[in-house]
Amino acid sequence: MKKSIPFSIQAVINSYAILFFSQNKILGLLLLAVSFFNPTAGIAGLLSVIFTIGFVSLMGYCRESTRIGLFSFNSLLLGIGFGTFYQFNISFFCWLLIGCLITAILSVTLATLLGKYGYPLLSVPFVITFWIVLATVNSIYHMGLEQKNSAILNELSTTSKNNAFQLTGVFDFSHIPYLPGLFFRALSAVLFQNNILTGIIISIGLLIHSRINFSLLFIAFTVACLFNKLTGTYPEGFSYYHLGSNVMMASAAIGSFFLIPSARSYLWALITVPITMLFINGFTKILGIYDLPVLSLPFCLSTFLLLVFFRLRISPGKLQLTILQHYSPERNLYQYLNAKERLDELKYFKFNLPFMGRWTISQGYDGTITHKEAWGKALDFVIKDEDGNTYKYPGIQAEQYYCYNKPVLACGDGIVEEVVTHIDDNEIGQVNTIENWGNTIVIKHLTGLYSKVSHLKKNSIKVKTGDFVKQGDLIALCGNSGRSPEPHLHFQVQTTPYIGSQTLAYPFSYFIDEKDNSLCSFKIPSEGEEISPLGTTHSIKQAFKLQPGYLATVSAADFETEHLEVFTDAYNQSYIQSKTTGAVAYFINNGSSFYFTSFYGDQKSLLFYFYLAAYKVMFVGDEKVKVTDAYPVQLFANKPILWLHDVLAPFKQFIKLSYNNACITKGAETAFCAEQHSTIWGSRKKTMEATVLLNGNSIQAFTVSLNGKKVEAKWIVENIY
């Protein structure tokens, strides 16, 4: 197993890759290599990155921001700009050092200030610092800098001049048509080059990094050229520098980086084209008064303006901002879709069923009897026997009904808000419409979130107003009070504390559908369904009690032994880290289940195979219970098909990866047997088999058979709670 790349090398590579909103090592290395097509620019850029990384590390600023290149990519642009515009001499290196220092200070300061409000740094520090340098050189104080003759200077001084191709080496690209050549030159302009070969190499790196990002760069280029042809804005041709560094980059940023890629984000990427063009023209005129080029200012302005505009929305709708940045449009999209499908726990307060055993919904939401209009989002529960009856013969007394006198439980932690306990139970067939709800308990769980149980047995209520109750506490017994012709339990969720409040549609966290023993997660049961609460097995729950400080060693044939430890991050999210490979797997343990939310790092790590095998484990030792879940699409193994899917993914998903497991218990050993299935255009195929073995209250081993390879790993817990 390969060791992780040293921190300093990661930071250097990422400083290049982040120019195109990436952390891809291949793209970063290609950008580093092609920057040396202009040797002075390449040397100055690399020196600037190394100096800035060393400076911010020495000063003790955030290591993660340093590692991803956030503090150093502006210095890279400054160094490349210096090397492109000026000759090497003593003054060059002196002022480059001072410029990098200013840029680093601006980067740290602005990144911190803007980050508090969720806004990006962009290339603002580079623009400000380079303007200061250019303004000084253009004044009476030349600072000893000797300017080069550079095509990029002419390009920056006008938006209409159409420069001839400037090629590198022995490659002859004169036969390439004008528009494809312009596209590649536009990409090379991000590195202050006018070079088709550079653009071709960058294109290869971009395709490896992201098909979505590359498609948006191409679409923005095409739309800009068509818009120019339609309006005649630039009769002599569009500036390749402004095409690449402003128009195309702004569209890619909005369409695929700061927004989750979708048809709507692509539409806004198109809208960004004329907005950025307008900024180019307007600020070229304004800054021309001071002999300053606009550089990448239009990109910064259009991107920042639209981000502020999007963030001010009260309701985001289907146009979603990227909350957790993975520096890959595909992964941003797939993680968002995966989280939307499976992480309902983060959206809802966790409600359990308010009873024990198997109950049937006799009246569901918007029922035909009493659940109507504003009070329609409620559930009535009864207990039925094998013949579908709710009572023992003859059923003329409340005591003969199966649910009567059964325990009613608190569905969640909270404070008792209202209690009614004095109303008599009805005789069978009669109702009390004056005291409609009968004996009732209202519990406050959060501000604006209350649960209510009604028709309880007279004087059976075990709590009083102001009491704190925990989920599962006994609070009353089921009765037949109020508008209740026969014993049943009424349950509803509401936003206000009053008895008689309007209802709110709200799911239960986990329960078992008794029809097929399937696990239901954050679902609202339907009328006629027979359901039961989810029980937990203590030994399984204890085995997956991976708290901070938990240590384990994992070993397998042909793999380096890995040492794992559990941590929590600044957002109190738990994760397992392999100290050996650097891989990280985030997880949630909610007391009912253990499941992974994301994985980062080397997919050859044993931690990755455990992530696949134990993707979701319910703390239930019942062999009948079936657990299903969905993997994020980026785990799909067939890369050519996945790349095709990437191109279409913002508009249409045709690949799905599913996970399921079942529990088998034999004495003190418990095994979770899992499978992965891939579905392509409706065609389903099993692609993985896995087993997680527990012995008593500890993980003992796991096996994974994937892509023709079988991994058999032993798990040794280093510390026992």
Side-chain angles (χ1 to χ4, degrees):
M1 192 74 68
K2 294 180 180 179
K3 296 286 186 180
S4 58
I5 300 174
F7 174 84
S8 57
I9 297 177
Q10 286 187 56
V12 170
I13 295 173
N14 290 336
S15 299
Y16 286 82
I18 203 172
L19 295 179
F20 285 92
F21 317 109
S22 171
Q23 297 286 278
N24 185 278
K25 292 189 290 291
I26 295 176
L27 176 59
L29 288 170
L30 288 176
L31 290 169
L32 172 59
V34 297
S35 71
F36 279 85
F37 283 3
N38 182 339
T40 56
I43 293 170
L46 182 57
L47 290 176
S48 299
V49 168
I50 293 172
F51 169 79
T52 302
I53 292 172
F55 171 70
V56 296
S57 298
L58 184 64
M59 293 297 295
Y61 292 104
C62 176
R63 279 180 62 82
E64 180 59 18
S65 296
T66 304
R67 186 191 67 81
I68 65 175
L70 181 63
F71 295 149
S72 50
F73 78 92
N74 275 281
S75 294
L76 169 62
L77 291 172
L78 181 72
I80 292 175
F82 254 80
T84 302
F85 292 173
Y86 304 112
Q87 301 282 359
F88 277 176
N89 57 28
I90 294 177
S91 295
F92 177 95
F93 290 104
C94 289
W95 291 116
L96 177 62
L97 180 65
I98 298 300
C100 286
L101 188 64
I102 295 171
T103 305
I105 293 171
L106 282 172
S107 295
V108 171
T109 304
L110 292 178
T112 303
L113 293 176
L114 293 172
K116 289 181 179 179
Y117 304 98
Y119 293 110
L121 176 65
L122 302 176
S123 54
V124 173
F126 153 70
V127 172
I128 293 173
T129 306
F130 210 49
W131 275 346
I132 295 171
V133 172
L134 290 172
T136 307
V137 171
N138 292 338
S139 71
I140 58 173
Y141 308 105
H142 295 151
M143 304 191 301
L145 293 173
E146 298 178 10
Q147 188 168 297
K148 288 183 181 178
N149 289 323
S150 171
I152 197 75
L153 282 174
N154 295 328
E155 189 74 13
L156 285 169
S157 64
T158 175
T159 60
S160 62
K161 186 163 181 177
N162 195 9
N163 290 320
F165 293 171
Q166 175 186 323
L167 306 177
T168 298
V170 297
F171 296 98
D172 180 12
F173 295 104
S174 59
H175 62 283
I176 292 183
Y178 171 71
L179 286 177
L182 181 61
F183 175 77
F184 294 128
R185 294 162 63 210
L187 286 178
S188 76
V190 176
L191 299 178
F192 290 99
Q193 294 185 28
N194 175 23
N195 190 323
I196 291 179
L197 178 58
T198 297
I200 292 173
I201 295 173
I202 291 175
S203 296
I204 294 171
L206 286 170
L207 281 169
I208 293 172
H209 156 58
S210 169
R211 280 58 61 196
I212 293 175
N213 182 284
F214 182 83
S215 71
L216 278 163
L217 290 168
F218 179 78
I219 290 170
F221 171 83
T222 304
V223 170
C225 291
L226 290 174
F227 191 78
N228 181 52
K229 186 176 180 65
L230 179 67
T231 61
T233 304
Y234 311 117
E236 298 180 25
F238 209 146
S239 159
Y240 70 86
Y241 176 84
H242 291 311
L243 262 174
S245 297
N246 287 304
V247 175
M248 293 164 62
M249 292 297 287
S251 292
I254 292 298
S256 67
F257 187 74
F258 295 113
L259 292 175
I260 298 296
S262 65
R264 289 170 176 80
S265 78
Y266 271 62
L267 175 61
W268 276 102
L270 300 184
I271 295 172
T272 304
V273 171
I275 293 175
T276 309
M277 290 174 64
L278 188 63
F279 283 147
I280 292 169
N281 297 340
F283 282 96
T284 296
K285 180 69 172 178
I286 295 170
L287 293 171
I289 299 172
Y290 306 99
D291 292 325
L292 292 177
V294 295
L295 299 172
S296 55
L297 177 66
F299 153 69
C300 296
L301 287 176
S302 55
T303 302
F304 196 84
L305 174 65
L306 288 173
L307 282 180
V308 174
F309 175 66
F310 294 142
R311 288 175 65 87
L312 290 176
R313 293 172 298 165
I314 297 174
S315 175
K318 294 183 178 180
L319 186 69
Q320 293 287 334
L321 285 161
T322 302
I323 304 300
L324 182 61
Q325 188 55 256
H326 296 92
Y327 290 91
S328 164
E330 284 80 7
R331 179 148 189 173
N332 286 344
L333 173 60
Y334 296 146
Q335 287 289 151
Y336 165 76
L337 293 174
N338 187 248
K340 184 179 179 182
E341 180 177 358
R342 63 189 295 261
L343 298 186
D344 287 325
E345 175 163 346
L346 305 181
K347 306 176 190 174
Y348 298 106
F349 185 85
K350 187 180 172 186
F351 281 152
N352 282 352
L353 294 177
F355 48 74
M356 297 181 286
R358 299 165 63 153
W359 292 57
T360 300
I361 295 94
S362 59
Q363 184 180 192
Y365 279 14
D366 302 313
T368 57
I369 306 172
T370 56
H371 299 172
K372 297 179 181 297
E373 298 177 356
W375 296 268
K377 308 306 178 186
L379 298 169
D380 287 341
F381 295 99
V382 297
I383 298 177
K384 292 186 176 183
D385 60 23
E386 294 179 354
D387 297 322
N389 296 319
T390 59
Y391 57 87
K392 298 176 184 178
Y393 186 79
I396 57 176
Q397 294 179 339
E399 290 80 2
Q400 294 168 345
Y401 283 75
Y402 299 119
C403 68
Y404 186 77
N405 222 31
K406 290 293 187 293
V408 177
L409 311 178
C411 65
D413 296 354
I415 297 174
V416 178
E417 190 78 19
E418 291 284 348
V419 171
V420 175
T421 188
H422 66 279
I423 300 172
D424 293 330
D425 288 315
N426 302 318
E427 294 184 7
I428 299 302
Q430 296 183 5
V431 295
N432 179 353
T433 57
I434 297 175
E435 297 162 310
N436 186 66
W437 299 104
N439 299 309
T440 295
I441 300 173
V442 178
I443 300 175
K444 178 182 180 180
H445 304 283
L446 297 172
T447 300
L449 184 67
Y450 301 81
S451 67
K452 185 184 80 165
V453 285
S454 296
H455 311 309
L456 304 173
K457 183 181 178 182
K458 181 180 180 180
N459 295 328
S460 72
I461 293 176
K462 314 297 183 184
V463 296
K464 62 183 182 298
T465 301
D467 283 354
F468 174 78
V469 294
K470 291 189 68 66
Q471 190 175 76
D473 284 352
L474 174 65
I475 56 175
L477 300 176
C478 182
N480 193 36
S481 57
R483 188 175 179 179
S484 177
E486 67 174 65
H488 72 282
L489 177 64
H490 175 95
F491 175 86
Q492 69 183 52
V493 179
Q494 54 197 48
T495 59
T496 56
Y498 312 111
I499 295 175
S501 294
Q502 297 181 2
T503 56
L504 172 70
Y506 211 87
F508 289 109
S509 56
Y510 295 106
F511 60 90
I512 305 297
D513 185 340
E514 294 290 345
K515 181 179 180 181
D516 57 4
N517 292 300
S518 61
L519 172 71
C520 299
S521 303
F522 293 90
K523 179 184 174 184
I524 297 169
S526 302
E527 187 170 313
E529 284 189 55
E530 187 178 23
I531 62 177
S532 62
L534 186 72
T536 59
T537 302
H538 177 74
S539 60
I540 300 174
K541 186 175 182 178
Q542 192 69 20
F544 285 92
K545 188 180 179 182
L546 309 186
Q547 296 180 333
Y550 177 98
L551 299 172
T553 299
V554 186
S555 60
D558 301 323
F559 284 82
E560 185 177 359
T561 299
E562 295 187 26
H563 301 283
L564 309 180
E565 185 171 354
V566 175
F567 298 92
T568 56
D569 65 12
Y571 301 100
N572 205 31
Q573 298 180 85
S574 299
Y575 63 93
I576 307 172
Q577 182 176 38
S578 170
K579 295 182 178 179
T580 310
T581 66
V584 169
Y586 278 84
F587 68 88
I588 289 175
N589 185 329
N590 58 21
S592 301
S593 65
F594 170 96
Y595 60 94
F596 285 106
T597 57
S598 56
F599 177 88
Y600 305 95
D602 188 354
Q603 293 192 1
K604 295 179 182 178
S605 170
L606 287 172
L607 178 59
F608 177 69
Y609 288 100
F610 182 68
Y611 161 82
L612 294 176
Y615 190 62
K616 183 171 185 176
V617 174
M618 302 301 302
F619 303 150
V620 182
D622 188 344
E623 298 182 8
K624 296 179 182 179
V625 175
K626 303 171 185 176
V627 177
T628 60
D629 210 329
Y631 288 111
V633 176
Q634 72 260 19
L635 299 181
F636 187 70
N638 190 318
K639 295 306 178 184
I641 295 178
L642 180 59
W643 278 29
L644 174 61
H645 184 269
D646 292 342
V647 176
L648 301 176
F651 313 99
K652 175 68 177 178
Q653 304 280 314
F654 66 83
I655 295 176
K656 290 185 178 180
L657 281 179
S658 62
Y659 170 89
N660 63 77
N661 75 36
C663 173
I664 300 175
T665 302
K666 201 176 281 187
E669 289 190 344
T670 302
F672 289 94
C673 300
E675 294 179 344
Q676 178 193 93
H677 290 84
S678 62
T679 304
I680 307 173
W681 293 115
S683 177
R684 194 166 184 261
K685 178 183 177 182
K686 184 165 70 174
T687 48
M688 183 201 76
E689 289 183 341
T691 301
V692 179
L693 182 63
L694 311 183
N695 190 351
N697 59 0
S698 178
I699 302 171
Q700 185 178 45
F702 64 90
T703 62
V704 178
S705 297
L706 178 68
N707 300 326
K709 181 178 181 180
K710 187 173 184 179
V711 178
E712 297 180 337
K714 293 182 180 179
W715 183 290
I716 301 173
V717 180
E718 300 293 341
N719 51 353
I720 303 294
Y721 292 101

CSV table of all heavy atoms in Angstrom, one decimal, residues 151 154-166 178-179 181-183 185 194 228 234-241 243:
chain,number,residue,atom,x,y,z
A,151,ALA,N,2.8,38.8,-26.0
A,151,ALA,CA,1.5,38.9,-26.7
A,151,ALA,C,0.4,39.1,-25.7
A,151,ALA,O,-0.6,39.7,-26.0
A,151,ALA,CB,1.3,37.6,-27.5
A,154,ASN,N,-0.5,42.7,-25.0
A,154,ASN,CA,-1.3,43.3,-26.0
A,154,ASN,C,-2.8,42.8,-25.9
A,154,ASN,O,-3.7,43.6,-26.1
A,154,ASN,CB,-0.8,42.9,-27.4
A,154,ASN,CG,0.6,43.6,-27.7
A,154,ASN,OD1,0.9,44.6,-27.2
A,154,ASN,ND2,1.4,42.9,-28.5
A,155,GLU,N,-2.9,41.5,-25.6
A,155,GLU,CA,-4.2,41.0,-25.4
A,155,GLU,C,-5.0,41.6,-24.3
A,155,GLU,O,-6.2,41.8,-24.3
A,155,GLU,CB,-4.1,39.5,-25.2
A,155,GLU,CG,-5.4,38.7,-25.2
A,155,GLU,CD,-5.9,38.5,-26.6
A,155,GLU,OE1,-5.2,38.8,-27.6
A,155,GLU,OE2,-7.1,38.2,-26.8
A,156,LEU,N,-4.3,41.9,-23.2
A,156,LEU,CA,-4.9,42.5,-22.0
A,156,LEU,C,-5.3,44.0,-22.2
A,156,LEU,O,-6.1,44.5,-21.5
A,156,LEU,CB,-4.0,42.3,-20.8
A,156,LEU,CG,-4.0,40.9,-20.2
A,156,LEU,CD1,-2.9,40.8,-19.2
A,156,LEU,CD2,-5.3,40.6,-19.5
A,157,SER,N,-4.6,44.6,-23.2
A,157,SER,CA,-4.8,46.0,-23.4
A,157,SER,C,-6.0,46.3,-24.3
A,157,SER,O,-6.4,47.4,-24.4
A,157,SER,CB,-3.6,46.7,-24.0
A,157,SER,OG,-3.3,46.1,-25.3
A,158,THR,N,-6.6,45.3,-24.9
A,158,THR,CA,-7.7,45.5,-25.8
A,158,THR,C,-8.5,44.2,-25.9
A,158,THR,O,-8.0,43.1,-25.7
A,158,THR,CB,-7.3,45.9,-27.2
A,158,THR,OG1,-8.4,45.9,-28.1
A,158,THR,CG2,-6.3,44.8,-27.8
A,159,THR,N,-9.8,44.3,-26.1
A,159,THR,CA,-10.6,43.1,-26.2
A,159,THR,C,-10.9,42.8,-27.6
A,159,THR,O,-11.7,41.9,-27.9
A,159,THR,CB,-12.0,43.3,-25.4
A,159,THR,OG1,-12.6,44.4,-26.0
A,159,THR,CG2,-11.7,43.5,-24.0
A,160,SER,N,-10.4,43.4,-28.6
A,160,SER,CA,-10.7,43.2,-30.0
A,160,SER,C,-9.6,42.7,-30.8
A,160,SER,O,-9.7,42.3,-31.9
A,160,SER,CB,-11.3,44.5,-30.6
A,160,SER,OG,-10.4,45.5,-30.6
A,161,LYS,N,-8.3,42.9,-30.3
A,161,LYS,CA,-7.2,42.5,-31.1
A,161,LYS,C,-7.1,41.0,-31.3
A,161,LYS,O,-7.3,40.2,-30.3
A,161,LYS,CB,-5.9,43.0,-30.5
A,161,LYS,CG,-4.7,42.8,-31.4
A,161,LYS,CD,-3.5,43.6,-31.0
A,161,LYS,CE,-2.4,43.3,-32.0
A,161,LYS,NZ,-1.2,44.2,-31.7
A,162,ASN,N,-6.8,40.5,-32.4
A,162,ASN,CA,-6.8,39.1,-32.7
A,162,ASN,C,-5.3,38.6,-33.0
A,162,ASN,O,-4.8,38.7,-34.0
A,162,ASN,CB,-7.6,38.8,-34.0
A,162,ASN,CG,-8.0,37.4,-34.1
A,162,ASN,OD1,-7.7,36.6,-33.3
A,162,ASN,ND2,-8.6,37.0,-35.3
A,163,ASN,N,-4.7,38.2,-31.9
A,163,ASN,CA,-3.2,37.9,-32.0
A,163,ASN,C,-3.0,36.6,-32.8
A,163,ASN,O,-3.8,35.7,-32.8
A,163,ASN,CB,-2.7,37.7,-30.6
A,163,ASN,CG,-2.6,39.0,-29.8
A,163,ASN,OD1,-2.2,40.0,-30.4
A,163,ASN,ND2,-2.9,39.0,-28.6
A,164,ALA,N,-1.8,36.5,-33.4
A,164,ALA,CA,-1.4,35.3,-34.1
A,164,ALA,C,-1.1,34.3,-33.1
A,164,ALA,O,-0.8,34.5,-31.9
A,164,ALA,CB,-0.2,35.6,-35.0
A,165,PHE,N,-1.1,33.0,-33.6
A,165,PHE,CA,-0.7,31.9,-32.7
A,165,PHE,C,0.7,32.0,-32.3
A,165,PHE,O,1.6,32.2,-33.0
A,165,PHE,CB,-0.9,30.5,-33.4
A,165,PHE,CG,-2.4,30.2,-33.8
A,165,PHE,CD1,-2.7,29.2,-34.6
A,165,PHE,CD2,-3.4,31.0,-33.2
A,165,PHE,CE1,-4.0,28.9,-34.9
A,165,PHE,CE2,-4.7,30.7,-33.5
A,165,PHE,CZ,-5.0,29.7,-34.4
A,166,GLN,N,0.9,31.7,-31.0
A,166,GLN,CA,2.3,31.6,-30.4
A,166,GLN,C,2.5,30.2,-30.0
A,166,GLN,O,1.9,29.8,-29.0
A,166,GLN,CB,2.5,32.6,-29.3
A,166,GLN,CG,3.8,32.5,-28.6
A,166,GLN,CD,3.8,33.4,-27.4
A,166,GLN,OE1,3.3,34.5,-27.3
A,166,GLN,NE2,4.5,32.9,-26.3
A,178,TYR,N,-9.7,27.9,-36.8
A,178,TYR,CA,-9.6,29.0,-35.9
A,178,TYR,C,-10.3,28.8,-34.6
A,178,TYR,O,-9.7,29.0,-33.5
A,178,TYR,CB,-10.1,30.3,-36.6
A,178,TYR,CG,-10.3,31.5,-35.7
A,178,TYR,CD1,-9.2,32.1,-35.2
A,178,TYR,CD2,-11.5,31.9,-35.2
A,178,TYR,CE1,-9.3,33.2,-34.3
A,178,TYR,CE2,-11.7,32.9,-34.4
A,178,TYR,CZ,-10.5,33.6,-33.9
A,178,TYR,OH,-10.7,34.6,-33.0
A,179,LEU,N,-11.6,28.4,-34.6
A,179,LEU,CA,-12.3,28.2,-33.4
A,179,LEU,C,-11.8,27.2,-32.4
A,179,LEU,O,-11.6,27.5,-31.2
A,179,LEU,CB,-13.8,28.0,-33.7
A,179,LEU,CG,-14.6,29.2,-34.2
A,179,LEU,CD1,-16.0,28.8,-34.6
A,179,LEU,CD2,-14.6,30.3,-33.2
A,181,GLY,N,-8.7,26.2,-32.3
A,181,GLY,CA,-7.5,26.8,-31.8
A,181,GLY,C,-7.7,27.9,-30.8
A,181,GLY,O,-7.0,28.0,-29.8
A,182,LEU,N,-8.8,28.7,-31.0
A,182,LEU,CA,-9.1,29.7,-30.0
A,182,LEU,C,-9.5,29.1,-28.7
A,182,LEU,O,-9.2,29.7,-27.6
A,182,LEU,CB,-10.3,30.6,-30.6
A,182,LEU,CG,-10.7,31.8,-29.7
A,182,LEU,CD1,-9.6,32.8,-29.4
A,182,LEU,CD2,-11.9,32.5,-30.4
A,183,PHE,N,-10.3,28.0,-28.7
A,183,PHE,CA,-10.7,27.4,-27.5
A,183,PHE,C,-9.5,26.9,-26.7
A,183,PHE,O,-9.4,27.2,-25.4
A,183,PHE,CB,-11.5,26.1,-27.8
A,183,PHE,CG,-11.9,25.3,-26.6
A,183,PHE,CD1,-12.9,25.7,-25.7
A,183,PHE,CD2,-11.3,24.1,-26.3
A,183,PHE,CE1,-13.3,25.0,-24.6
A,183,PHE,CE2,-11.6,23.4,-25.2
A,183,PHE,CZ,-12.6,23.8,-24.4
A,185,ARG,N,-6.4,28.1,-26.9
A,185,ARG,CA,-5.6,29.2,-26.5
A,185,ARG,C,-6.3,29.9,-25.3
A,185,ARG,O,-5.6,30.4,-24.4
A,185,ARG,CB,-5.5,30.2,-27.6
A,185,ARG,CG,-4.6,29.7,-28.8
A,185,ARG,CD,-4.9,30.5,-30.0
A,185,ARG,NE,-4.6,31.9,-29.9
A,185,ARG,CZ,-5.2,32.9,-30.5
A,185,ARG,NH1,-6.2,32.6,-31.4
A,185,ARG,NH2,-4.8,34.1,-30.4
A,194,ASN,N,-0.4,31.9,-24.6
A,194,ASN,CA,-1.2,32.0,-25.9
A,194,ASN,C,-0.7,30.7,-26.7
A,194,ASN,O,0.0,30.9,-27.7
A,194,ASN,CB,-0.9,33.3,-26.6
A,194,ASN,CG,-1.6,33.4,-28.0
A,194,ASN,OD1,-2.5,32.7,-28.2
A,194,ASN,ND2,-1.0,34.2,-28.9
A,228,ASN,N,-21.2,36.9,-29.5
A,228,ASN,CA,-20.4,37.9,-30.2
A,228,ASN,C,-20.8,38.1,-31.7
A,228,ASN,O,-20.9,39.2,-32.2
A,228,ASN,CB,-18.9,37.5,-30.0
A,228,ASN,CG,-18.0,38.6,-30.7
A,228,ASN,OD1,-18.2,39.8,-30.4
A,228,ASN,ND2,-17.1,38.2,-31.6
A,234,TYR,N,-17.3,42.3,-30.6
A,234,TYR,CA,-15.9,42.4,-31.0
A,234,TYR,C,-15.8,42.0,-32.5
A,234,TYR,O,-15.6,40.8,-32.8
A,234,TYR,CB,-15.1,41.4,-30.1
A,234,TYR,CG,-15.4,41.5,-28.7
A,234,TYR,CD1,-16.0,40.4,-27.9
A,234,TYR,CD2,-15.1,42.7,-28.0
A,234,TYR,CE1,-16.2,40.6,-26.6
A,234,TYR,CE2,-15.3,42.8,-26.6
A,234,TYR,CZ,-15.9,41.7,-25.9
A,234,TYR,OH,-16.1,41.9,-24.6
A,235,PRO,N,-15.9,43.0,-33.4
A,235,PRO,CA,-15.8,42.7,-34.8
A,235,PRO,C,-14.6,41.9,-35.3
A,235,PRO,O,-14.6,41.1,-36.2
A,235,PRO,CB,-15.9,44.1,-35.5
A,235,PRO,CG,-16.5,44.9,-34.4
A,235,PRO,CD,-16.0,44.4,-33.1
A,236,GLU,N,-13.4,42.2,-34.6
A,236,GLU,CA,-12.2,41.6,-35.0
A,236,GLU,C,-11.9,40.3,-34.3
A,236,GLU,O,-10.9,39.7,-34.5
A,236,GLU,CB,-11.0,42.5,-34.8
A,236,GLU,CG,-11.2,43.8,-35.6
A,236,GLU,CD,-10.0,44.8,-35.3
A,236,GLU,OE1,-8.9,44.2,-34.9
A,236,GLU,OE2,-10.1,46.0,-35.5
A,237,GLY,N,-12.9,39.8,-33.5
A,237,GLY,CA,-12.7,38.5,-32.8
A,237,GLY,C,-12.6,38.7,-31.3
A,237,GLY,O,-12.1,39.7,-30.8
A,238,PHE,N,-13.0,37.7,-30.5
A,238,PHE,CA,-13.0,37.7,-29.1
A,238,PHE,C,-11.6,37.5,-28.5
A,238,PHE,O,-10.9,36.6,-29.0
A,238,PHE,CB,-14.0,36.6,-28.6
A,238,PHE,CG,-14.6,37.0,-27.3
A,238,PHE,CD1,-15.9,36.5,-27.0
A,238,PHE,CD2,-14.0,37.7,-26.3
A,238,PHE,CE1,-16.6,36.8,-25.8
A,238,PHE,CE2,-14.6,38.0,-25.1
A,238,PHE,CZ,-15.9,37.5,-24.8
A,239,SER,N,-11.3,38.3,-27.5
A,239,SER,CA,-10.0,38.1,-26.8
A,239,SER,C,-9.9,36.7,-26.2
A,239,SER,O,-10.7,36.3,-25.4
A,239,SER,CB,-9.8,39.2,-25.8
A,239,SER,OG,-8.8,38.8,-24.8
A,240,TYR,N,-8.8,35.9,-26.6
A,240,TYR,CA,-8.7,34.6,-26.0
A,240,TYR,C,-8.5,34.7,-24.5
A,240,TYR,O,-8.9,33.8,-23.7
A,240,TYR,CB,-7.6,33.8,-26.7
A,240,TYR,CG,-6.2,34.3,-26.4
A,240,TYR,CD1,-5.5,33.9,-25.3
A,240,TYR,CD2,-5.5,35.2,-27.2
A,240,TYR,CE1,-4.2,34.3,-25.0
A,240,TYR,CE2,-4.3,35.7,-27.0
A,240,TYR,CZ,-3.6,35.3,-25.8
A,240,TYR,OH,-2.3,35.7,-25.6
A,241,TYR,N,-7.8,35.7,-24.0
A,241,TYR,CA,-7.6,35.8,-22.6
A,241,TYR,C,-8.9,36.0,-21.8
A,241,TYR,O,-9.2,35.3,-20.8
A,241,TYR,CB,-6.6,37.0,-22.2
A,241,TYR,CG,-6.5,37.2,-20.7
A,241,TYR,CD1,-5.5,36.4,-20.0
A,241,TYR,CD2,-7.3,38.0,-20.0
A,241,TYR,CE1,-5.4,36.5,-18.6
A,241,TYR,CE2,-7.2,38.1,-18.6
A,241,TYR,CZ,-6.2,37.4,-17.9
A,241,TYR,OH,-6.1,37.5,-16.6
A,243,LEU,N,-11.9,35.3,-22.9
A,243,LEU,CA,-12.7,34.1,-23.1
A,243,LEU,C,-12.3,33.1,-22.0
A,243,LEU,O,-13.2,32.5,-21.3
A,243,LEU,CB,-12.4,33.5,-24.4
A,243,LEU,CG,-13.4,33.8,-25.5
A,243,LEU,CD1,-12.9,33.2,-26.9
A,243,LEU,CD2,-14.8,33.2,-25.2
